[in-house]
Amino acid sequence: RTIRVWLKRDSGQYWPSIYHTMSSPCSAMAYHHDSRRIFVGQDNGAIMEFHISEDFNKMNFVKTYPAHQNRVSAITFCLTSEWVISTGHDKCISWMCTRSGSMLERHYFTSWASCLQYDHETRHAFVGDYSGQITLLKLEQNTCSVITTLKGHEGSITSLWWDPVQRLLFSGASDHSIIMWDIGGRKGRTLLLQGHHDKVQAICYIQLTRQLVSCSADGGIAVWNMDISREEAPQWLESDSCQKCEQPFFWNIKQMWDTKTLGLRQHHCRKCGQAVCGKCSTKRSSYPIMGFEFQVRVCDSCFESIKDEDRTSLATFHEGKHNISHMSMDISRGLMVTCGSDRIVKIWDMTPVVGCSLATGFSSR
């Protein structure tokens, strides 16, 4: 139930300078560096605002916002409009005026809202929910409108990242996958990335180097190369019989009766999307250009078309050595912070992995 500010001492070690005990467990936080304002969401649905002194040795309470009726899951602060925007387990997004502390409006979803990204220029909010859906909203002073909904994950949305420069939205989910949604030029284009063994807990896109950093609950850290022309994974085709050998699937009663054969189980080739039987898809292969860093099912003909160089990984994988529950990147310095379920906070120097010095704009530590 505490919020702490850690300062790096001359010895190189971090020590807490101040801490504040909250009335309810903390569930989300947003820090605005320029104004040194901190917004802390709690399990009871309230958001508390604090102001940090210049020397980071004092924390002054500002006000409490009655944001939600249940746990706050994500917070963002917009200085230009003086809004604090949040999502919660009460299935809504709310935005409040930080000058008056009053509620401006709420919008409700069918599932509890799990994560949030906000475009400060256009006032577009992206909200991921427990059903696996992402809703794009246009927020106004006392109203909002639903622009579209994005459906592609098979599990709850756990993390979102919005890049306003290229207008790309990245989403991580409990189905262990990441999807890149091209909101800008090529509308509707999606790229699937599969390289984690557990739910994706946090993502960060580094626009300067075209790299995506993702962390999962099993401690895996992946750095994806997005500065290449990747292929979209195909839509899975539906058929009553194998599209290679034409043998019927087990629900195709008529063809089974006509041919006096037993029906087969349906599978799908991850490369071409065709519906195939097990006999026509005996091979497995990775195919990184399509986002498959692990070996996945492909039909035998597609397996023959994949060359050895096509299997070259387009991501690097690292071990966080604790079950990562949250991650934050300081892109300007190439530093990453991970928080684990083991209650340990780790600070990583990511410059060897994501670039360094003049090539990326990172300054030395």
Side-chain angles (χ1 to χ4, degrees):
R1 294 192 304 160
T2 63
I3 175 170
R4 298 170 184 256
V5 177
W6 299 75
L7 293 181
K8 190 177 183 180
R9 307 300 184 182
D10 293 336
S11 63
Q13 291 184 312
Y14 286 84
W15 291 92
S17 62
I18 46 175
Y19 76 92
H20 182 87
T21 303
M22 311 288 282
S23 59
S24 178
C26 307
S27 56
M29 183 175 70
Y31 174 62
H32 190 261
H33 179 73
D34 294 337
S35 63
R36 297 190 309 282
R37 294 160 78 176
I38 249 179
F39 299 86
V40 184
Q42 300 173 263
D43 268 5
N44 62 11
I47 295 176
M48 295 183 73
E49 180 185 352
F50 298 90
H51 184 262
I52 310 295
S53 62
E54 284 191 40
D55 60 2
F56 293 95
N57 281 309
K58 192 174 182 183
M59 183 186 301
N60 297 308
F61 170 73
V62 179
K63 63 169 68 78
T64 300
Y65 301 89
H68 297 276
Q69 302 297 318
N70 208 323
R71 171 184 288 188
V72 180
S73 57
I75 307 172
T76 189
F77 170 61
C78 180
L79 182 63
T80 53
S81 59
E82 286 285 346
W83 287 358
V84 58
I85 307 158
S86 60
T87 55
H89 285 208
D90 56 356
K91 303 181 181 180
C92 82
I93 177 175
S94 68
W95 53 108
M96 293 162 291
C97 176
T98 53
R99 293 190 183 94
S100 64
S102 61
M103 178 70 65
L104 295 174
E105 187 55 272
R106 283 191 177 101
H107 178 81
Y108 285 88
F109 306 96
T110 55
S111 299
W112 61 264
S114 50
C115 45
L116 167 70
Q117 285 284 283
Y118 182 67
D119 188 290
H120 296 266
E121 185 179 345
T122 63
R123 292 189 175 182
H124 284 154
F126 301 89
V127 181
D129 65 38
Y130 196 71
S131 73
Q133 183 172 284
I134 302 166
T135 305
L136 171 54
L137 299 162
K138 169 77 170 180
L139 304 187
E140 304 291 353
Q141 186 73 16
N142 297 111
T143 185
C144 73
S145 54
V146 176
I147 305 299
T148 188
T149 54
L150 306 174
K151 299 177 182 179
H153 284 289
E154 296 177 0
S156 58
I157 309 297
T158 52
S159 51
L160 291 172
W161 185 272
W162 168 246
D163 174 45
V165 178
Q166 290 185 271
R167 303 194 67 76
L168 301 174
L169 179 70
F170 295 88
S171 59
S174 59
D175 61 7
H176 309 179
S177 68
I178 300 164
I179 295 179
M180 187 200 84
W181 311 83
D182 193 340
I183 307 295
R186 289 168 288 186
K187 292 183 178 179
R189 181 171 182 260
T190 59
L191 292 177
L192 178 67
L193 303 174
Q194 291 187 335
H196 287 290
H197 296 282
D198 207 334
K199 62 181 177 181
V200 180
Q201 294 282 54
I203 48 181
C204 174
Y205 179 63
I206 306 171
Q207 199 275 331
L208 198 61
T209 59
R210 303 293 200 274
Q211 288 172 298
L212 177 72
V213 180
S214 59
C215 300
S216 70
D218 63 0
I221 301 170
V223 181
W224 306 82
N225 178 12
M226 303 303 294
D227 194 25
I228 55 169
S229 179
R230 289 180 177 267
E231 294 179 16
E232 283 188 72
Q235 293 288 328
W236 285 3
L237 303 176
E238 295 301 325
S239 177
D240 290 330
S241 56
C242 175
Q243 293 181 298
K244 295 295 182 181
C245 68
E246 298 184 353
Q247 288 294 303
F249 293 131
F250 63 83
W251 61 82
N252 191 348
I253 308 291
K254 183 178 185 304
Q255 189 176 346
M256 283 193 293
W257 179 265
D258 292 343
T259 58
K260 302 295 188 292
T261 57
L262 288 174
L264 304 174
R265 184 181 174 190
Q266 184 191 57
H267 302 284
H268 284 93
C269 172
R270 301 309 193 266
K271 186 175 185 295
C272 68
Q274 286 191 320
V276 290
C277 66
K279 294 178 182 178
C280 294
S281 57
T282 59
K283 308 290 187 182
R284 302 290 185 275
S285 176
S286 61
Y287 196 51
I289 198 72
M290 204 172 273
F292 300 117
E293 292 288 338
F294 300 147
Q295 290 197 345
V296 292
R297 180 184 294 273
V298 292
C299 65
D300 292 351
S301 57
C302 280
F303 181 83
E304 297 299 326
S305 70
I306 300 174
K307 303 173 184 176
D308 287 342
E309 55 264 32
D310 295 334
R311 298 184 175 92
T312 304
S313 178
L314 297 175
T316 58
F317 298 93
H318 313 270
E319 180 52 57
K321 296 183 178 178
H322 68 161
N323 296 336
I324 297 171
S325 55
H326 181 76
M327 175 268 283
S328 180
M329 281 278 291
D330 182 347
I331 295 173
S332 64
R333 291 187 292 167
L335 297 178
M336 180 177 76
V337 173
T338 58
C339 304
S341 56
D342 53 5
R343 296 188 294 179
I344 292 176
V345 177
K346 295 185 179 183
I347 301 175
W348 305 78
D349 179 5
M350 295 293 287
T351 51
V353 179
V354 298
C356 59
S357 192
L358 296 176
T360 62
F362 292 155
S363 59
S364 59
R365 292 182 64 183

